[in-house]
Amino acid sequence: MKTVYSLQQFIAVLSGLGYFANSDANSDSLQNDPQPEQRKGQSQQARDDLQLAIRTFQAHYGLPLTGEADQPTQEKARQLIRNLHHGLKQTVSPDLSISEFYGPRTVSAVQQFQAQHRLPATGVATASVRSAIEEDLKQQLRQALGRAGNRRTPCPCAN
């Protein structure tokens, strides 16, 4: 059964992937509770920021531009986070569990990767950071294949 992100979880995913600039936002500011006039303005701004982040994410991945955290949008986010976890597990944090959530352990692993590559250790896995992780994985694979190629023994039938 696939997880459906809560609002707070989806904000964490968008923030962690670099799509939601207002990472300090929380679901309380996005609720429709009766608030003083100033709070209503902040709440509307938070909703607008979230919708913009979702639309930007959707546009980047060729999804329908609904501005909503619909099923295709959440599925793409889950896929990206799981891929990120796999990459981080291979490159910097073997004990990182694979999940679809962007929590403190993910932030820490991203910061570790960034520090190792002399990048600002923000803990945000932007597209450029994810590309760098993919390049590291490719390099590890090339090295592993090179080592395996050096261990080959000649075929006895070649004589």
Side-chain angles (χ1 to χ4, degrees):
M1 183 173 144
K2 296 192 181 194
T3 304
V4 174
Y5 288 117
S6 70
L7 180 60
Q8 193 63 31
Q9 290 167 335
F10 199 66
I11 289 171
V13 166
L14 290 176
S15 296
L17 295 174
Y19 288 95
F20 194 49
N22 186 3
S23 60
D24 295 330
N26 60 48
S27 58
D28 294 339
S29 66
L30 295 166
Q31 301 302 318
N32 290 322
D33 298 335
Q35 302 288 328
E37 206 54 43
Q38 181 182 9
R39 178 77 172 162
K40 284 183 183 177
Q42 290 172 347
S43 181
Q44 182 60 47
Q45 182 62 50
R47 282 192 294 275
D48 291 347
D49 290 347
L50 177 59
Q51 188 174 58
L52 176 62
I54 292 171
R55 284 181 180 274
T56 302
F57 177 84
Q58 290 169 331
H60 188 242
Y61 292 100
L63 299 167
L65 299 177
T66 64
E68 300 291 327
D70 53 22
Q71 189 273 332
T73 303
Q74 288 199 24
E75 184 57 38
K76 185 62 178 179
R78 265 191 297 281
Q79 176 188 18
L80 288 171
I81 297 301
R82 291 182 71 80
N83 290 345
L84 174 64
H85 285 177
H86 281 287
L88 291 168
K89 188 175 185 77
Q90 294 296 314
T91 58
V92 295
S93 187
D95 62 331
L96 183 67
S97 60
I98 308 299
S99 77
E100 59 269 6
F101 300 104
Y102 204 103
R105 294 190 72 206
T106 308
V107 170
S108 178
V110 170
Q111 287 172 327
Q112 186 178 350
F113 179 87
Q114 290 168 322
Q116 287 177 357
H117 291 80
R118 296 185 177 100
L119 300 168
T122 63
V124 177
T126 60
S128 62
V129 170
R130 294 190 311 271
S131 290
I133 292 169
E134 287 177 28
E135 283 304 312
D136 261 22
L137 290 172
K138 288 177 187 176
Q139 183 176 3
Q140 285 180 10
L141 182 58
R142 284 191 294 272
Q143 289 172 348
L145 289 173
R147 284 190 302 269
N150 292 337
R151 290 191 306 249
R152 288 187 183 166
T153 57
C155 176
C157 58
N159 294 329

